[in-house]
């Protein structure tokens, strides 16, 4: 496989469930990101990991918990979510964090469509 | 505050030319990105401008004016497959990307 792969593509969960989103990148990149995409709204950066270390946490509620076991894998653990958390969750990677070493192009996965009932 | 403005939706005809505008306000500036996102798919990189001027890449061109805080994406010889959302994003002084809400481009035969 190449690029950035996300699973599952679709997820429906109740507010009391616990689930996880998985992201894997096969590009040898050092930085990985979680974004939230809601209809007609700008992409919201949630978390950034650079060389497995979390460098950004943009005031994300604690019901979202990221995990980065190595530079190729990124998880987003979900628990006690709210209906307003329903959105498309996009994972992305880049060679480095910010523009160091290049144009900073982001490579996105196709996203996990989350519905919270 | 930091902000990116772009039109919500545009319609154009197959074979024609369309220009999608983007104005930005960022704390510092480290370049302007355009991404394309087809419905249900991942955003994909189109262009990056950090210097003033026009950069051409096949049917797509991107323009930047730093003094005006303005960019546009120009799509020529439109094809039906160009129907997508186009996302504008500016990089601030910390290289954080500030995203617009995207412009949905509808191509009609």
């Amino acid at each position: 496989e190449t690029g950035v792969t996300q699973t599952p593509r679709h997820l429906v969960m109740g507010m009391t469930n616990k689930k996880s989103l998985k992201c894997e990148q096969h590009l040898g990149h050092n930085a990985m990101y979680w974004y939230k995409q809601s209809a007609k709204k700008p992409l919201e950066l949630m978390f950034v990991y650079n060389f497995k270390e979390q460098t950004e946490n943009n005031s994300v509620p604690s019901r979202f918990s990221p995990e980065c076991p190595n530079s190729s894998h990124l998880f987003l653990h979900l628990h006690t979510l709210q209906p307003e958390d329903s959105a498309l969750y996009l994972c992305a990677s880049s060679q480095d964090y910010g523009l160091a070493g290049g144009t900073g192009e982001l490579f996105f996965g196709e996203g996990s469509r989350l519905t919270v009932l | 505050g930091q902000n990116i403005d772009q039109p919500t939706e545009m319609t154009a005809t197959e074979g024609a030319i369309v220009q999608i505008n983007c104005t930005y306000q960022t704390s510092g500036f480290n370049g302007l990105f355009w991404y394309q996102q087809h419905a249900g798919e991942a955003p994909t990189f189109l262009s990056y401008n950090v210097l003033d001027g026009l950069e051409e890449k096949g049917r797509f061109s991107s323009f930047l004016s730093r003094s005006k805080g303005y960019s546009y994406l120009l799509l020529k010889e439109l094809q039906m497959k160009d129907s997508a959302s186009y996302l504008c994003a500016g990089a601030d002084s910390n290289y954080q990307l500030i995203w617009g809400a995207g412009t949905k481009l509808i191509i009609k035969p």
Side-chain angles (χ1 to χ4, degrees):
Chain A
E1 286 199 55
T2 58
V4 180
T5 305
Q6 289 187 243
T7 55
R9 293 292 310 278
H10 300 273
L11 179 62
V12 179
M13 58 188 289
M15 292 194 291
T16 57
N17 291 159
K18 288 185 180 181
K19 298 285 184 182
S20 295
L21 306 181
K22 178 183 175 182
C23 176
E24 184 174 0
Q25 58 99 356
H26 309 270
L27 300 168
H29 288 167
N30 299 316
M32 296 188 76
Y33 309 74
W34 279 117
Y35 277 94
K36 177 182 179 182
Q37 187 173 39
S38 302
K40 300 184 179 181
K41 290 186 177 180
L43 285 176
E44 297 175 47
L45 179 64
M46 300 175 72
F47 302 104
V48 181
Y49 279 82
N50 194 35
F51 291 97
K52 303 187 301 177
E53 299 297 320
Q54 188 178 127
T55 56
E56 296 287 340
N57 175 346
N58 283 1
S59 304
V60 180
S62 59
R63 57 185 183 270
F64 295 92
S65 174
E67 179 189 359
C68 188
N70 55 62
S71 58
S72 297
H73 294 86
L74 186 63
F75 295 89
L76 188 63
H77 304 299
L78 316 169
H79 64 97
T80 60
L81 294 190
Q82 304 298 311
E84 60 264 30
D85 297 322
S86 298
L88 182 68
Y89 289 85
L90 290 165
C91 175
S93 70
S94 64
Q95 185 60 57
D96 295 288
Y97 178 50
L99 296 178
T103 62
E105 176 185 348
L106 292 174
F107 292 79
F108 286 89
E110 294 191 324
S112 294
R113 173 71 61 186
L114 173 66
T115 302
V116 181
L117 302 177
Chain B
Q2 305 197 97
N3 192 53
I4 300 280
D5 281 319
Q6 55 182 129
T8 303
E9 188 174 298
M10 299 181 70
T11 302
T13 305
E14 190 177 15
I17 299 173
V18 71
Q19 178 175 310
I20 303 174
N21 296 325
C22 170
T23 58
Y24 64 88
Q25 286 181 303
T26 56
S27 300
F29 180 73
N30 278 301
L32 196 290
F33 292 83
W34 285 96
Y35 283 80
Q36 179 191 59
Q37 186 178 23
H38 286 101
E41 297 185 12
T44 55
F45 171 82
L46 287 178
S47 68
Y48 170 70
N49 294 65
V50 68
L51 300 176
D52 285 354
L54 184 69
E55 295 212 4
E56 299 185 60
K57 202 184 285 187
R59 294 188 299 114
F60 291 14
S61 302
S62 56
F63 171 84
L64 177 68
S65 169
R66 294 179 64 138
S67 62
K68 295 181 179 178
Y70 167 69
S71 173
Y72 67 72
L73 182 69
L74 190 71
L75 292 73
K76 301 177 183 176
E77 301 169 16
L78 285 170
Q79 301 176 9
M80 297 303 292
K81 67 178 182 179
D82 297 330
S83 292
S85 287
Y86 292 85
L87 311 180
C88 175
D92 68 11
S93 58
N94 295 320
Y95 300 101
Q96 287 240 19
L97 290 182
I98 312 302
W99 294 86
T103 299
K104 182 178 180 180
L105 178 63
I106 300 168
I107 309 297
K108 295 187 174 179

